[in-house]
Amino acid sequence: MRTRFAPSPTGPLHLGHAYSAILAHDMARAAGGQFLLRIEDIDQARAKPEWEHQIYDDLRWLGLSWDGPVMRQSERMAAYDSALDRLWRRGLLYPCTCSRRDIADALSAPQEGTSPAIGPDGPVYPGTCRPDAPTGHPARPRPKTHHLRLDIAAACLASLNDSPGAADNGSGLAFMETGAAHAGPVSTSCHAYETQVGDIVLSRRDFGTSYHLSVVLDDAAQGITHVTRGDDLFDATRIHVLLESLLGLPTPIYHHHPLIRDETGKRLAKRDDARAIARYRADGASPNDIRRMVGL
Ligand code: GLU
């Protein structure tokens, strides 16, 4: 078993992060496995070295040790770039040339009285500038000046063609979930990909990648067998499973855990400094106090 903790160094770690990290760590250690650390710093405008150092310091203070070198996403751009090239050459990506305004207008246009479905990245993209024919082509260089969207219908079909077993049973793409809220096999049909996920952005103009693409490539590169993370990412996992299939990567087992909430029921946010581990440390709490606070 190999688990990981993958924080973004864009603010202090809070109780929710502590819960996630301890859970992944203890799960690996109990099984005699490994626990790895990854710094998700593709958002270079928001990532700060001082937050990264604070992460190492807080994790050590919590008594967590990690195996092997720390992976940093900012050092992995070549891997993201080559995966995007592969998907582009298969005709599965297209440049999104419409403005946010165009998309908002399309979303607000009356559509038989139904409101747009909300997918893992917000309202499902209405296809405003999806081309009629695939644009990715070996002879055409991949454009880097626009967001690139995944043609989700074509991607789902391509992935089922790659894995005939999944196509045969008609249920689409599946993964195994062990978190209590959704435990069991979870599958997504191509119809559900189209209507509930939509053409997600796989490469942002400003990052040259996206959370979804990077996390999938990095989990595979780190050999992660069990992805342990918050329930807020459960829906995004459908995207990850599709990308794993398209890129020929193994699908790990997923374990989505409940989110730690404040006393009003709101999930903790990065800016919620009051729940920062550093604050509890400064106030004299012990690592065991933190474990108790998060119910471990
Ligand atoms: N970097 C993400 C975060 O800080 C976690 C991503 C993941 O666990 O897949 O919320």
Side-chain angles (χ1 to χ4, degrees), residues 4 6-8 17 38 40 211 215 227-229 233 240 270:
R4 48 69 160 185
S8 305
H17 295 107
R38 177 166 78 234
E40 301 216 320
Y211 159 67
V215 82
V227 170
T228 306
R229 61 187 180 193
L233 290 167
H240 302 168
K270 275 271 161 66

Side-chain angles (χ1 to χ4, degrees), residues 86-172:
R86 283 173 60 196
L87 296 173
W88 171 259
R89 284 198 297 267
R90 287 179 74 178
L92 299 177
L93 303 177
Y94 62 88
C96 187
T97 50
C98 41
S99 65
R100 279 190 198 194
R101 187 58 204 254
D102 297 334
I103 299 172
D105 287 350
L107 283 170
S108 61
Q111 292 157 345
E112 295 156 24
T114 56
S115 46
I118 303 297
D121 288 350
V124 172
Y125 177 68
T128 321
C129 55
R130 182 193 302 121
D132 293 334
T135 49
H137 189 275
R140 275 188 63 192
R142 173 164 60 85
K144 303 208 171 159
T145 48
H146 289 100
H147 290 340
L148 295 179
R149 287 187 182 274
L150 181 69
D151 181 335
I152 205 100
C156 188
L157 273 180
S159 112
L160 292 186
N161 283 339
D162 289 351
S163 46
D168 289 350
N169 68 28
S171 59

